[in-house]
Amino acid sequence: MDNLWTENIRKVEPYVPGEQSKEKDIIKLNANENPYPPSPKVFEAVKNFDCAGLKLYPDADAGKFKEAIARFYHIKKENVFVGNGSDDVLALSFQTFFNSEKPIVFPDITYSFYPVWCELFKIPYKTCPLGGDFRINADDYKEENGGVVIPNPNAPTSLGEGKGFIEKLMEYNKDCVVIIDEAYVDFGGYSSVELTEKYENLLITCTFSKSRSLAGMRIGYAIGSEKLIASLEAVKNSYNSYTVNSIAMAAGTAAINDKEYFNKTVSKVIKTRERVKKELRKLGFEVLDSQTNFLMATHREKDMKEYFEYLKTQKVFIRYFNKPRINSYVRITIGTDKEMDIFLEKTKEYLGRF
Amino acid sequence: MDNLWTENIRKVEPYVPGEQSKEKDIIKLNANENPYPPSPKVFEAVKNFDCAGLKLYPDADAGKFKEAIARFYHIKKENVFVGNGSDDVLALSFQTFFNSEKPIVFPDITYSFYPVWCELFKIPYKTCPLGGDFRINADDYKEENGGVVIPNPNAPTSLGEGKGFIEKLMEYNKDCVVIIDEAYVDFGGYSSVELTEKYENLLITCTFSKSRSLAGMRIGYAIGSEKLIASLEAVKNSYNSYTVNSIAMAAGTAAINDKEYFNKTVSKVIKTRERVKKELRKLGFEVLDSQTNFLMATHREKDMKEYFEYLKTQKVFIRYFNKPRINSYVRITIGTDKEMDIFLEKTKEYLGRF
């Protein structure tokens, strides 16, 4: 029999991240990581980092790092919040802004952490079904809400919406905070950072894990009005004042300052994506028009779970979601050209085999 | 007039950390940081770190790092949890284990984050007054509780309790989780890690920020039964799967493997502490018998706020808490011998002046 003290342990259904195989020679297209290393400036910043300074706490305000991010976007330091990965920033934002008794609302097919955070923080929520074309319809978010959170581009659909969509959303939702999760925006989506000046209740969350190749460094940030950012700071400071460590700030600053490398690698990923999309379509796949670093694809004649499992036996890891509506699709992260050539070859093998 | 959306923003009273002056030549004895740099092995680990790997997410389970910690304590990997600083570990533990309707309980004079987390996570709590000698009395924790959290040694009192105290506490609290916060234990306190095998509901939290000189790296950990650790993992994975970045794990592993350096620097801090304690007593201070890297002191004839402010004008920063019961004390972090000599000199100046 269980002890009494176990009764008050919080029960949660943990998020299941993309499989991390211990095998060395796999092609890893299952976690939307960037296939290119971070900027050479990051290597330099880490190599030259003075570890003696680690005896001191980091700058709790992350002043210099925030200034670098602000410079990149031509905004003010006071419009920037930084955290330990965008999951940390998003989770804190949920806790900070979603305290209404009305449910918050997000798409039915979206980042799987949203409902998990709602359960964890006891936030009421409801989901809005995507259209048949997997698009988000702004009119579905017209009702009075406790808050709205939408990834743009959305994951795992890879589809993005434009300025008109965001403006509509903001017009409909003046009495709650609207979070746009722009984790993938750099790969061709519309960024609504420009709208944060117009809408004081619009918060954008971003990450260094995708377009800046720093998933291992855990850096996320948010952009919004001074009022929103100050509230996030207050809650962060009451939870854990020092979330971003000193080396992460040094590496992050180096990464955001290297625009050239950023543009170059992002362009390469986009170019590869467009090529792979065409190739897959030639092979009979339906592939959504991605604005991200991954493709959402299905095949008229094939079972996608079987395809996913076949590729796994060939040491090519993609992602399959065993969930209603998307269980006939796979999600394929864009790797290097060489990796994608192997992926395409294995795909042809699979199609030819049956 | 405020907009409607601002109504649902969480209001918190932020924790106020020790002042971080931007001035360069100050003597910083106000944040309980270690005056010595981290182990040379940490410098090496950072210098040799392959930044290319940062494009990938860190190991969510932190397997190798946990194994290194487990080896140090002669326990199993499954008894170890790691997080982004011990504040992160503690806050998660509050969320994971303190879900009873009965209040959790902690001393009235203790780490100031405890009540802040209770407010933030809506956990009912009550405090138990320390004795007149600033000691914690185990018998005060006899009632039925929703949970117990006690730092041992306590901060800012610097006083530690022994094995008998912890065993009593555990006998009284069989139906809730008891957290012992051992942030300062390495400086001479009693560690109850040995008791985690006997008491399945005992969780110890620790940090790399003090005895391992890695405050800037943000590494905390917890030790407890497999059941407690598995629950923490589940909640962590539903919040943010990757809290400790790859470089922090490499640096932390290097630090915990270098026992020799650890013993050497900890001994130095203890030796300096004992010397400064004696000197201060000679100058008419009452100084508690510290088991930490700081001293809690008061002076019969002097106003401690005035003393604190005088030292500040002399570029020596110590800590003063404007709180009932401890507002006649100051907290002095132990620096290098050289720093403490200047501190003592300025203290003599202050005493001679009036």
Side-chain angles (χ1 to χ4, degrees):
Chain A
M1 205 195 74
D2 255 6
N3 293 311
L4 268 175
W5 61 268
T6 60
E7 274 175 26
N8 291 309
I9 295 184
R10 193 176 288 258
K11 273 95 197 157
V12 290
E13 264 203 67
Y15 169 77
V16 183
E19 213 168 335
Q20 302 283 357
S21 173
K22 304 272 178 204
E23 287 183 65
K24 287 268 165 192
D25 53 347
I26 61 150
I27 293 181
K28 194 167 180 305
L29 309 176
N30 67 347
N32 293 347
E33 290 150 331
N34 198 308
Y36 302 107
S39 153
K41 303 277 182 206
V42 169
F43 285 71
E44 227 172 87
V46 170
K47 205 155 257 349
N48 297 331
F49 186 85
D50 181 10
C51 287
L54 290 173
K55 70 181 182 183
L56 301 179
Y57 283 96
D59 173 12
D61 183 49
K64 283 186 185 168
F65 183 31
K66 281 182 182 169
E67 276 164 21
I69 295 173
R71 261 196 314 277
F72 182 86
Y73 289 100
H74 309 288
I75 53 178
K76 281 189 296 173
K77 173 183 166 287
E78 287 70 26
N79 300 117
V80 181
F81 176 83
V82 297
N84 186 36
S86 72
D87 286 342
D88 178 45
V89 174
L90 277 162
L92 260 175
S93 302
F94 273 49
Q95 286 180 285
T96 307
F97 302 119
F98 296 160
N99 295 296
S100 164
E101 308 214 324
K102 284 173 229 143
I104 71 155
V105 58
F106 47 83
D108 63 338
I109 296 170
T110 194
Y111 190 35
S112 52
F113 253 138
Y114 300 160
V116 178
W117 290 326
C118 288
E119 303 282 353
L120 186 63
F121 306 136
K122 297 166 190 153
I123 299 166
Y125 72 95
K126 59 178 191 185
T127 59
C128 264
L130 296 185
D133 54 357
F134 284 136
R135 299 209 86 92
I136 305 171
N137 185 351
D139 289 338
D140 293 343
Y141 295 79
K142 226 171 178 171
E143 271 179 63
E144 231 185 325
N145 299 310
V148 174
V149 53
I150 286 177
N152 190 39
N154 193 11
T157 67
S158 79
L159 301 173
E161 304 297 335
K163 187 170 178 174
F165 169 89
I166 305 288
E167 294 245 46
K168 250 191 181 175
L169 206 61
M170 298 314 299
E171 291 307 324
Y172 294 153
N173 291 282
K174 292 189 168 164
D175 296 337
C176 66
V177 172
V178 175
I179 300 178
I180 305 294
D181 176 352
E182 296 192 353
Y184 295 102
V185 80
D186 295 327
F187 299 101
Y190 164 73
S191 170
S192 36
V193 167
E194 58 166 341
L195 298 178
T196 54
E197 229 180 309
K198 184 168 173 192
Y199 302 103
E200 232 189 342
N201 58 328
L202 170 62
L203 189 82
I204 316 290
T205 61
C206 316
T207 178
F208 276 64
S209 300
K210 310 295 179 189
S211 55
R212 293 179 205 279
S213 306
L214 283 173
M217 201 54 121
R218 315 307 306 122
I219 310 173
Y221 56 107
I223 291 171
S225 61
E226 286 189 35
K227 203 180 260 176
L228 289 183
I229 299 300
S231 305
L232 271 178
E233 284 293 338
V235 173
K236 185 213 57 162
N237 284 329
S238 74
Y239 180 82
N240 183 359
S241 316
Y242 311 100
T243 49
V244 183
N245 70 37
S246 305
I247 285 197
M249 289 197 250
T253 303
I256 199 136
N257 284 341
D258 193 351
K259 274 195 200 176
E260 204 189 322
Y261 184 84
F262 168 75
N263 290 331
K264 199 175 75 183
T265 45
V266 162
S267 301
K268 270 162 85 173
V269 170
I270 292 175
K271 208 176 146 198
T272 309
R273 178 188 74 204
E274 293 306 302
R275 177 173 76 86
V276 173
K277 184 173 77 180
K278 273 185 209 143
E279 296 276 350
L280 284 174
R281 283 179 179 167
K282 271 192 228 157
L283 295 170
F285 281 89
E286 276 178 36
V287 189
L288 302 187
D289 275 317
S290 169
Q291 295 185 353
T292 64
N293 68 338
F294 59 87
L295 292 170
M296 182 81 166
T298 185
H299 197 285
R300 275 161 287 240
E301 296 147 23
K302 296 293 179 186
D303 181 81
M304 288 296 97
K305 188 160 187 285
E306 192 192 74
Y307 169 55
F308 156 79
E309 274 160 5
Y310 173 77
L311 287 180
K312 206 155 122 178
T313 66
Q314 300 300 303
K315 298 198 173 182
V316 176
F317 284 55
I318 61 170
R319 193 86 198 261
Y320 173 78
F321 299 94
N322 206 350
K323 277 185 190 170
R325 291 195 71 189
I326 52 170
N327 54 13
S328 57
Y329 283 78
V330 286
R331 191 193 73 184
I332 305 145
T333 303
I334 301 303
T336 61
D337 275 313
K338 208 177 143 193
E339 288 173 326
M340 298 320 283
D341 285 343
I342 298 171
F343 157 77
L344 286 167
E345 196 185 295
K346 299 293 177 192
T347 297
K348 283 177 199 158
E349 261 176 43
Y350 170 74
L351 295 171
R353 260 174 136 220
F354 294 91
Chain B
M1 203 194 76
D2 255 5
N3 293 309
L4 268 175
W5 61 267
T6 60
E7 274 173 27
N8 291 311
I9 294 185
R10 194 176 289 260
K11 273 94 197 157
V12 291
E13 264 204 67
Y15 169 76
V16 182
E19 212 168 334
Q20 303 283 357
S21 173
K22 304 272 178 204
E23 287 182 64
K24 287 269 165 191
D25 53 346
I26 61 151
I27 294 182
K28 194 167 181 304
L29 310 175
N30 68 348
N32 293 346
E33 290 150 332
N34 198 308
Y36 302 107
S39 153
K41 303 276 182 207
V42 169
F43 285 71
E44 229 173 88
V46 169
K47 206 153 252 358
N48 297 330
F49 187 84
D50 180 10
C51 287
L54 290 173
K55 70 181 183 184
L56 302 180
Y57 283 97
D59 173 11
D61 183 48
K64 282 187 185 166
F65 184 32
K66 281 182 183 170
E67 276 165 21
I69 295 173
R71 261 197 313 277
F72 183 85
Y73 289 101
H74 309 288
I75 53 178
K76 281 188 297 174
K77 172 183 167 287
E78 288 70 26
N79 300 118
V80 180
F81 175 84
V82 297
N84 186 36
S86 72
D87 285 342
D88 178 46
V89 174
L90 277 161
L92 260 175
S93 302
F94 273 50
Q95 286 180 285
T96 307
F97 302 119
F98 296 160
N99 296 293
S100 163
E101 308 214 323
K102 283 172 229 144
I104 72 155
V105 57
F106 47 82
D108 63 338
I109 296 169
T110 194
Y111 190 35
S112 50
F113 253 139
Y114 300 159
V116 179
W117 290 326
C118 288
E119 304 283 353
L120 186 63
F121 307 134
K122 297 165 190 156
I123 299 166
Y125 71 95
K126 60 179 190 183
T127 59
C128 263
L130 296 184
D133 54 357
F134 283 136
R135 300 208 86 92
I136 306 172
N137 186 350
D139 289 338
D140 293 342
Y141 296 78
K142 226 170 178 171
E143 270 180 66
E144 231 185 324
N145 300 310
V148 174
V149 54
I150 285 177
N152 189 38
N154 194 11
T157 67
S158 80
L159 300 174
E161 303 297 334
K163 186 171 180 175
F165 169 89
I166 305 288
E167 295 243 45
K168 250 190 178 176
L169 206 60
M170 298 314 298
E171 292 307 323
Y172 295 152
N173 292 281
K174 293 190 169 164
D175 296 336
C176 66
V177 172
V178 176
I179 299 177
I180 305 295
D181 175 352
E182 296 192 352
Y184 295 103
V185 80
D186 295 328
F187 300 102
Y190 164 73
S191 170
S192 36
V193 167
E194 58 164 342
L195 298 177
T196 53
E197 230 180 308
K198 184 168 172 191
Y199 301 103
E200 233 189 341
N201 59 327
L202 170 61
L203 189 82
I204 317 289
T205 61
C206 315
T207 178
F208 276 64
S209 300
K210 311 295 177 187
S211 55
R212 293 179 205 279
S213 306
L214 283 173
M217 201 51 123
R218 316 308 305 127
I219 310 172
Y221 55 108
I223 292 173
S225 61
E226 287 188 33
K227 202 179 261 174
L228 288 183
I229 298 301
S231 305
L232 271 177
E233 285 292 338
V235 173
K236 185 212 57 161
N237 284 329
S238 74
Y239 180 82
N240 183 359
S241 316
Y242 311 100
T243 48
V244 184
N245 71 36
S246 304
I247 286 198
M249 288 198 251
T253 304
I256 200 136
N257 284 341
D258 194 351
K259 274 194 199 177
E260 205 189 319
Y261 184 84
F262 168 75
N263 289 331
K264 199 175 74 184
T265 45
V266 162
S267 301
K268 269 161 84 175
V269 170
I270 292 175
K271 208 176 144 198
T272 308
R273 178 188 75 204
E274 293 306 303
R275 177 174 75 85
V276 173
K277 184 172 77 180
K278 272 186 210 145
E279 295 276 350
L280 284 174
R281 283 179 179 168
K282 271 193 229 159
L283 294 170
F285 281 89
E286 275 178 40
V287 189
L288 301 188
D289 276 316
S290 169
Q291 296 185 351
T292 64
N293 67 338
F294 59 87
L295 292 171
M296 181 81 165
T298 185
H299 196 285
R300 276 160 287 239
E301 294 148 24
K302 296 293 179 187
D303 181 81
M304 288 297 97
K305 186 158 186 284
E306 193 192 73
Y307 169 54
F308 156 79
E309 273 159 5
Y310 173 77
L311 287 180
K312 207 154 119 182
T313 66
Q314 300 300 301
K315 298 197 172 185
V316 176
F317 283 56
I318 61 171
R319 192 87 199 260
Y320 173 77
F321 300 93
N322 207 351
K323 279 186 188 169
R325 292 196 71 188
I326 53 170
N327 55 12
S328 57
Y329 284 78
V330 286
R331 192 194 71 183
I332 306 144
T333 303
I334 301 303
T336 61
D337 275 312
K338 207 177 144 191
E339 288 173 327
M340 299 319 283
D341 285 342
I342 297 171
F343 157 77
L344 286 167
E345 196 187 297
K346 299 292 177 193
T347 297
K348 282 177 201 161
E349 260 177 41
Y350 170 74
L351 294 173
R353 258 176 138 220
F354 294 93

